[in-house]
Amino acid sequence: MRIPLQSDSGVSPTHALPGVLPGQVPPPDAFGTDSNPRVEAPGSEAAAAALTGPQADGPAPHGVGMPGENAPGQSHWGPGPDGPQGPGGQMPWAAPEQGAAYPGGPGPSTGPVVPGQPAPAAPGWGDMGAPAQPGVVPGQYGMSSVQPAYGAPGQYGVPPQGYPGGPVQGPRGGYAGGPAPSLDDVPLRRATKAPGSGWRRAVHHMSGGAINPGMSAEERRLQELVARIRQPVRGDYRIAVLSLKGGVGKTTTTMGLGSIFSSIRGDRVIAVDANPDFGTLSQRVPLQTRSTVRDLLLDDHIQRYSDVRRHTSQGSSRLEVLASERDPAASESFNEEEYRAVARILQRFYNIILTDCGTGLMHSAMAGVLDLAHSLVLISSSAIDGARSAAATLDWLSLHGHDHLVRNAVVVINLPRPGAPNVGINQLRDYFLSRCRAVHIIPYDAHLGEGAEIDLHRLSKPVKRAYVELAATVADDFGADHRHYRG
């Protein structure tokens, strides 16, 4: 229910002036000088017309919501023509036109509304916009002589452009004073990763996740190693694992290194047994097929990865193994050309190829292995004779045109028994570091000493960590350009 506004004198503010027709601007002297000291009438009718705009001379159309007009059969909003609505059905809260009578101004009413006839236009309702006010030019905010479209600036609830609190838009819908906002600038607070071990994990678990001490320095170091192992490979990467002396852990190192790569990386990794003396690489994974490298070469239907997969066995770490020929007499025929043919097939479907070489450097297949290898992993024991055999291998490679493999080689020293070795490991490390890229020491592990299938989950933490560091060192060479090597 709306409460009508009354002036101080109790007279409705919308009384018409005598002698002034509805819709016309009263003369400047219609009020007198003391009628309302707050009103400053325009100096002339032209000035008043400029402020109020053109007014309609005829009756307002029916049904547009004129205050004094009611359809036949409908009741007035108030009790009568001279009730609370004011004389003639004029709405008491309607503001007067520019120069019209303000509270206290005399003048008779426009008269009652006759049903069935259009009511005369009431002052202040000549247009459907907001009523004019003294001293305000139409077109300003809050005062418009034309009803704005829905949603346009100046509409109720839609502030105009530039008004405080409204959106400031630049040309073409952009934002003035700078570039448009971007989702790249939205701040993001990442959750701290929960610790995985030690007292930090216990505190995080007991507090229900409310207290997160974060990862320890050791865990952050492990994350860095994993990131190095996962770096992308340019094409395929071929690693040759060799040793002149048997029984120093060459096959075990091949399996351990390949298992770390396959378990941490998401691409395909395969180990090839190129030992002509009845290699045992296939005995370190569950045997899934009886195929060997010879069967792969005899298969004329190798078109996709599944065609190669039927010739390999896969371990729990996802490392695949291509077995060598089990007949020692037949394995002698595995020569350089056959190894190159196997390498051409595997490099189409695998990213990392490890080759478990034999103990001899003079057999035919070894020439192809060394010529195609990108990196060399040389195995040595902690004994003096094992270290001398490894040093002799480096000398032979340098003399036969593989000096680039010697400089880029990674030497692995396997400890054959638990406890401290009798030989100075630090002195062995310093010697090989003077000739090769890196040296890694693999502690003794009872699970590896079994000589059976290798499961990474059964390895001790120091041994598993040592293999992770070895894989990270080898992976540091993945980004190198090896296009000068023949493939």
Side-chain angles (χ1 to χ4, degrees), residues 49-53 98 127 130 132-133 135-146:
L51 293 177
T52 59
Q98 184 75 7
D127 58 334
Q133 295 182 6
V136 180
V137 180
Q140 292 183 348
Y141 175 65
M143 296 300 298
S144 174
S145 60
V146 179

Side-chain angles (χ1 to χ4, degrees), residues 63-103:
V64 295
M66 300 304 292
E69 178 181 352
N70 292 277
Q74 294 182 356
S75 60
H76 291 280
W77 289 0
D82 295 328
Q85 292 179 333
Q90 177 70 22
M91 303 307 295
W93 55 82
E97 291 283 352
Q98 184 75 7
Y102 269 72

Side-chain angles (χ1 to χ4, degrees), residues 211-280:
I211 302 177
N212 189 357
M215 295 185 298
S216 62
E218 181 67 17
E219 290 176 324
R220 290 193 296 269
R221 167 65 177 165
L222 182 60
Q223 274 197 338
E224 295 175 0
L225 295 174
V226 170
R228 291 164 58 187
I229 295 174
R230 288 176 175 171
Q231 58 185 309
V233 178
R234 182 193 298 268
D236 66 296
Y237 193 85
R238 299 180 288 272
I239 306 170
V241 184
L242 60 90
S243 173
L244 284 181
K245 183 177 176 58
V248 295
K250 175 174 56 64
T251 300
T252 301
T253 303
T254 303
M255 285 297 304
L257 179 61
S259 298
I260 293 296
F261 276 134
S262 58
S263 62
I264 295 180
R265 297 178 59 88
D267 45 14
R268 300 168 184 160
V269 183
I270 190 171
V272 181
D273 194 346
N275 191 342
D277 302 323
F278 195 73
T280 61

Side-chain angles (χ1 to χ4, degrees), residues 56-374:
D57 296 335
H62 179 73
V64 295
M66 300 304 292
E69 178 181 352
N70 292 277
Q74 294 182 356
S75 60
H76 291 280
W77 289 0
D82 295 328
Q85 292 179 333
Q90 177 70 22
M91 303 307 295
W93 55 82
E97 291 283 352
Q98 184 75 7
Y102 269 72
S109 172
T110 57
V113 179
V114 179
Q117 295 183 4
W125 292 86
D127 58 334
M128 295 303 296
Q133 295 182 6
V136 180
V137 180
Q140 292 183 348
Y141 175 65
M143 296 300 298
S144 174
S145 60
V146 179
Q147 181 74 12
Y150 177 77
Q155 182 79 0
Y156 177 76
V158 182
Q161 296 184 7
Y163 188 79
V168 181
Q169 296 185 358
R172 299 183 180 273
Y175 280 75
S182 173
L183 292 179
D184 298 334
D185 302 330
V186 177
L188 177 62
R189 183 178 63 181
R190 298 183 180 274
T192 306
K193 187 176 180 179
S197 61
W199 65 268
R200 299 171 181 269
R201 182 175 181 272
V203 170
H204 182 268
H205 178 72
M206 295 177 62
S207 64
I211 302 177
N212 189 357
M215 295 185 298
S216 62
E218 181 67 17
E219 290 176 324
R220 290 193 296 269
R221 167 65 177 165
L222 182 60
Q223 274 197 338
E224 295 175 0
L225 295 174
V226 170
R228 291 164 58 187
I229 295 174
R230 288 176 175 171
Q231 58 185 309
V233 178
R234 182 193 298 268
D236 66 296
Y237 193 85
R238 299 180 288 272
I239 306 170
V241 184
L242 60 90
S243 173
L244 284 181
K245 183 177 176 58
V248 295
K250 175 174 56 64
T251 300
T252 301
T253 303
T254 303
M255 285 297 304
L257 179 61
S259 298
I260 293 296
F261 276 134
S262 58
S263 62
I264 295 180
R265 297 178 59 88
D267 45 14
R268 300 168 184 160
V269 183
I270 190 171
V272 181
D273 194 346
N275 191 342
D277 302 323
F278 195 73
T280 61
L281 184 65
S282 61
Q283 300 179 13
R284 302 301 181 94
V285 294
L287 190 62
Q288 297 175 342
T289 180
R290 304 293 299 182
S291 296
T292 63
V293 290
R294 183 62 50 82
D295 298 316
L296 179 65
L297 291 175
L298 295 177
D299 192 345
D300 296 331
H301 304 284
I302 303 297
Q303 299 293 334
R304 55 183 61 88
Y305 166 71
S306 59
D307 298 332
V308 180
R309 180 65 181 86
R310 62 187 298 266
H311 297 288
T312 64
S313 298
Q314 190 178 60
S316 59
S317 63
R318 296 181 56 252
L319 173 67
E320 297 183 36
V321 172
L322 181 61
S324 63
E325 189 63 51
R326 288 175 174 79
D327 185 2
S331 63
E332 291 293 337
S333 62
F334 186 64
N335 54 32
E336 177 182 355
E337 293 301 326
E338 291 174 331
Y339 177 81
R340 290 181 180 272
V342 171
R344 282 194 295 269
I345 295 174
L346 298 181
Q347 68 184 2
R348 294 165 51 193
F349 307 103
Y350 296 88
N351 299 94
I352 300 177
I353 303 173
L354 296 95
T355 302
D356 183 15
C357 305
T359 55
L361 294 175
M362 304 306 296
H363 61 81
S364 179
M366 183 58 70
V369 170
L370 296 177
D371 194 31
L372 298 179
H374 296 137

